[in-house]
């Protein structure tokens, strides 16, 4: 029996998509550091765990308006699909990129925000790196804040990939100005961890800020676009072994409080870093990833 035209058309589309994926995975991708980063230009800024996972935040001052900077960033993400980049939109909810109706003036005059992804042959799809961008207005024109984080759990190091992704984008956007590192990208952390006050008590509030955020002192530290999107990084000094801290962390990532522990997938990096004998920039022993859901 013969296949209907609709089935043949669907099979042809699937074959085309598979062929495109195989072509992309097999080609030499100039935006990827790969297994030999020292031989690839732009992969010198190797990061280790600056956001728990490896990450990089840079800013670049531009002579274009926020509107022009947004249009160029979005178009570049869309045009570089063969180099592993995508522009992220859609979903439910689907926040808009245009921040101008909100008249944000502090900490910066943010005008636009957008998100992308970067895929590499080994880590792609759900494991592809997350890219965030925030654009704010200045007296001279605009500043583009660019952020990249290694998405897959267990990605302590990045072989310079996060900075490489951002610098590759900047190059394709024909940006001549210098990328200024704000956090990560292999740079040392800017401050030491605060020691816990023995008189501090556990918060009795839920794990999300919600509509009554003003009543919870833990919700006072409101962030705006520090990682393109809002983000927060803290450290704690604890009088426990790394093994006990890791186990306590896993035990604390419970669904009853809106948290979940991330593991599994393919590939599935382990949390235990001790076999790698890492001594720089820190003596890292474990790494873990979680999620937090709010209503």
């Amino acid at each position: 029996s013969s296949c209907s035209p609709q089935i043949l058309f669907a099979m042809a589309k699937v074959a085309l998509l598979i062929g495109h994926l195989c072509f992309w995975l097999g080609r030499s991708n100039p935006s990827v550091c790969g297994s030999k980063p020292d031989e690839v230009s732009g992969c010198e800024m190797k990061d280790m765990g600056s956001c728990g996972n490896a990450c990089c935040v840079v800013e670049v001052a531009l002579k274009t308006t926020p509107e022009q900077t947004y249009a160029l960033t979005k178009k570049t993400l869309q045009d570089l699909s063969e180099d592993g980049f995508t522009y992220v939109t859609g979903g439910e909810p689907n926040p808009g990129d245009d921040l101008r109706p909100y008249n944000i003036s502090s900490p910066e005059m943010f005008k636009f925000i957008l998100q992308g992804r970067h895929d590499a042959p080994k880590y792609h799809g759900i494991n592809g790196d997350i890219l965030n961008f925030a654009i704010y207005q200045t007296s001279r024109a605009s500043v583009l804040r660019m952020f990249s984080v290694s998405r897959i759990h267990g990605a302590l190091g990045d072989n310079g990939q996060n900075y490489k992704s951002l610098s590759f984008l900047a190059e394709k956007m024909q940006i001549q100005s210098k990328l200024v590192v704000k956090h990560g990208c292999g740079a040392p952390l800017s401050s030491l961890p605060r020691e816990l006050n023995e008189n501090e008590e556990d918060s009795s509030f839920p794990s999300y800020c919600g509509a009554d955020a003003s009543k919870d002192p833990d919700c006072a530290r409101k962030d705006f676009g520090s990682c393109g999107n809002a983000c927060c990084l803290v450290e704690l000094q604890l009088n426990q072994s790394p093994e006990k801290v890791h186990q306590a962390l896993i035990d604390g990532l419970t669904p009853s409080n809106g948290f979940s522990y991330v593991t599994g997938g393919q590939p599935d990096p382990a949390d235990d870093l001790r076999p790698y004998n890492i001594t720089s920039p820190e003596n890292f022993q474990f790494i873990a990833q979680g999620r937090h859901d709010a209503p």
Side-chain angles (χ1 to χ4, degrees):
S1 61
S2 60
C3 295
S4 68
Q6 292 85 354
I7 294 176
L8 289 173
F9 178 72
M11 291 174 64
K13 284 186 67 177
V14 171
L16 181 62
L17 289 171
I18 293 175
H20 178 78
L21 178 62
C22 290
F23 166 77
W24 182 81
L25 291 174
R27 69 192 284 266
S28 177
N29 190 334
S31 71
V32 174
C33 292
S35 59
K36 298 180 179 179
D38 294 337
E39 299 177 7
V40 181
S41 176
C43 297
E44 300 84 12
M45 310 283 274
K46 299 177 178 65
D47 190 71
M48 294 281 279
S50 291
C51 293
N53 272 12
C55 70
C56 181
V57 186
V58 301
E59 283 191 349
V60 58
L62 303 171
K63 296 180 180 179
T64 50
T65 66
E67 291 80 2
Q68 291 170 328
T69 300
Y70 167 73
L72 178 59
T73 306
K74 179 179 176 180
K75 184 177 186 302
T76 304
L77 286 170
Q78 293 171 325
D79 289 348
L80 292 177
S81 60
E82 290 194 354
D83 293 303
F85 292 90
T86 55
Y87 164 65
V88 174
T89 188
E92 183 59 42
N94 182 25
D97 294 352
D98 191 349
L99 301 174
R100 292 173 297 178
Y102 305 105
N103 298 314
I104 300 169
S105 59
S106 179
E108 306 290 352
M109 294 180 63
F110 286 109
K111 300 298 183 182
F112 294 92
I113 189 169
L114 65 159
Q115 189 172 88
R117 294 284 192 276
H118 178 254
D119 289 341
K122 188 174 181 180
Y123 302 110
H124 53 273
I126 193 174
N127 293 325
D129 295 344
I130 297 173
L131 311 176
N132 291 326
F133 307 89
I135 300 163
Y136 61 89
Q137 182 177 326
T138 65
S139 58
R140 296 185 176 182
S142 64
V143 170
L144 173 61
R145 182 174 294 167
M146 311 169 74
F147 168 81
S148 176
V149 62
S150 301
R151 165 66 179 80
I152 190 170
H153 63 91
L156 179 74
D158 65 357
N159 275 343
Q161 183 60 61
N162 286 300
Y163 182 86
K164 171 67 174 180
S165 298
L166 303 180
S167 64
F168 184 87
L169 271 176
E171 178 185 348
K172 294 300 180 181
M173 293 169 67
Q174 298 185 344
I175 293 175
Q176 304 298 321
S177 304
K178 180 182 178 181
L179 301 184
V180 179
V181 172
K182 306 299 289 186
H183 178 74
C185 318
L189 293 180
S190 58
S191 61
L192 294 175
R194 174 179 71 91
E195 295 209 15
L196 187 65
N197 188 328
E198 292 182 359
N199 295 322
E200 292 186 45
E201 298 180 355
D202 292 337
S203 172
S204 60
F205 291 89
S207 63
Y208 58 90
C209 293
D212 296 327
S214 61
K215 298 179 181 180
D216 186 346
D218 287 342
C219 295
R221 294 181 175 272
K222 301 175 177 67
D223 188 72
F224 270 83
S226 291
C227 295
N229 275 10
C231 68
C232 181
L233 171 72
V234 299
E235 286 192 349
L236 290 172
Q237 291 180 332
L238 303 173
N239 295 322
Q240 294 177 306
S241 69
E243 294 83 356
K244 289 184 177 180
V245 172
H246 174 256
Q247 188 59 56
L249 174 63
I250 302 307
D251 293 342
L253 291 171
T254 57
S256 60
N257 294 317
F259 294 91
S260 59
Y261 168 57
V262 175
T263 188
Q266 185 60 41
D268 181 20
D271 291 359
D272 192 348
L273 301 173
R274 292 173 296 179
Y276 304 105
N277 298 315
I278 300 169
T279 59
S280 179
E282 304 292 349
N283 187 12
F284 287 110
Q285 303 289 295
F286 292 91
I287 188 169
Q289 189 174 92
R291 294 283 190 279
H292 179 254
D293 291 337

